[in-house]
Amino acid sequence: MAVAERPEVAMQLNLRPVISFHGVSKVYPTGTVALRDVELAVLQGDFCFLVGASGAGKSTLVRLLIREEVASTGRIFVDGQEITRMARRRLPKLRRKFGIVFQDYKLLSKRTVAQNVAFALQVTRPGQRHLREKVEEVLWIVGLEDKVDKYPDELSGGEQQRVAIARALVHRPRIFVADEPTGNLDPDTSWGIVQLLLQINHRGTTVLMATHNREVVDLVRRRVIAIEGGRVIRDEAQGSYLRPGEATL
Ligand SMILES: Nc1ncnc2c1ncn2[C@@H]1O[C@H](COP(=O)(O)OP(=O)(O)OP(=O)(O)O)[C@@H](O)[C@H]1O
Ligand SMILES: [Mg+2]
């Protein structure tokens, strides 16, 4: 059982959830109920997989967390602050707490690797000092120090995802959110990306990764939060993609 599921243990260890959902539901304007009464607590430094069939509600959960969408009911806290009713002007500061990557890399095709990463920092923190060093440091972390001056279309899919990860890391986020980061990659390359996320987690960053990648989830054996029909149906500390007898996701 994860420490986050044992409030008394978390309190003794003086651990406060960095993310918590309390009775959160999301109904889209179309009437689709994408999340139902979600309760969730993630501690600083946790590594969580979010699994579930297509349409289960994983991306919705991610979008609520970064306040790209607003919960219909319930409350969400990030880093001790309630974000559900947070004023729009405070959202940029909230978003800087997150490093976010998606299945598609969303790189700027006319900019080099280094410029893509630097651009993210210039937008979020204009006037940033030591820009070049910061960019080089994150590119080194993701193993792309020799690709700084390449353009995205000169890179493989896995390398492009690494650039996206570097770009997400450059403002030193507390929480790293990856929504199907390996969705377009072959198994070996996917494995490399997951290793990188584990390394980022090892440096103290909380990681939440939505994935359909069964092999990865079953090999890594970290916390697994399974969603079905908008509900959290399973939350295990060293979980697997499926529980024996569970329907194929
Ligand atoms: N913007 C939207 N407007 C209306 N309905 C939406 C919207 N986004 C998602 N949905 C619906 O909400 C439900 C949950 O979708 P969501 O994208 O969160 O699933 P998911 O678990 O991320 O799926 P996948 O594995 O395919 O990415 C689905 O029924 C989907 O059709
Ligand atoms: Mg999704």
Side-chain angles (χ1 to χ4, degrees), residues 83-152:
I83 64 153
T84 6
R85 277 166 269 278
M86 189 176 265
R88 194 171 284 271
R89 67 185 156 77
R90 291 173 63 201
L91 295 184
K93 191 165 172 220
L94 170 73
R95 302 246 168 84
R96 285 202 292 273
K97 292 183 195 283
F98 295 103
I100 308 163
V101 295
F102 298 100
Q103 181 167 352
D104 54 339
Y105 322 117
K106 300 186 199 295
L107 300 177
L108 302 166
S109 60
K110 295 201 165 55
R111 291 177 193 254
T112 64
V113 165
Q115 286 166 347
N116 263 279
V117 176
F119 186 67
L121 206 52
Q122 283 158 339
V123 168
T124 54
R125 302 206 172 158
Q128 180 73 234
R129 291 173 64 210
H130 310 299
L131 187 67
R132 185 79 197 177
E133 288 94 316
K134 284 180 178 142
V135 169
E136 280 174 2
E137 188 198 347
V138 286
L139 286 172
W140 178 80
I141 291 172
V142 302
L144 286 181
E145 61 276 18
D146 55 342
K147 307 276 185 194
V148 284
D149 296 320
K150 300 271 186 224
Y151 287 86

Side-chain angles (χ1 to χ4, degrees), residues 54-55 57-60 63 103 179-180 210 212:
S54 187
K58 305 178 296 297
S59 297
T60 300
R63 289 200 287 266
Q103 181 167 352
D179 193 353
E180 290 196 44
H212 287 289

Side-chain angles (χ1 to χ4, degrees), residues 156-172:
S156 71
E159 288 166 343
Q160 290 184 48
Q161 188 58 294
R162 283 174 188 272
V163 179
I165 292 172
R167 181 182 55 185
L169 276 184
V170 75
H171 57 269
R172 298 181 174 273

Side-chain angles (χ1 to χ4, degrees), residues 165-189:
I165 292 172
R167 181 182 55 185
L169 276 184
V170 75
H171 57 269
R172 298 181 174 273
R174 276 171 73 75
I175 306 164
F176 201 92
V177 183
D179 193 353
E180 290 196 44
T182 62
N184 289 327
L185 303 174
D186 65 58
D188 279 354
T189 314

Side-chain angles (χ1 to χ4, degrees), residues 40 46-52 58 178 181-182 191 194 197-198 207-227 234-241:
L40 193 63
D46 264 358
F47 186 108
C48 309
F49 288 117
L50 205 54
V51 305
K58 305 178 296 297
T182 62
W191 188 239
V194 173
L197 296 183
L198 285 165
V207 176
L208 192 65
M209 170 175 168
T211 185
H212 287 289
N213 197 322
R214 180 175 183 168
E215 291 75 20
V216 160
V217 174
D218 288 345
L219 270 170
V220 172
R221 288 261 157 204
R222 300 297 282 264
R223 181 171 173 191
V224 173
I225 300 163
I227 305 189
R234 180 158 61 90
D235 188 346
E236 291 175 336
Q238 285 157 331
S240 50
Y241 191 75

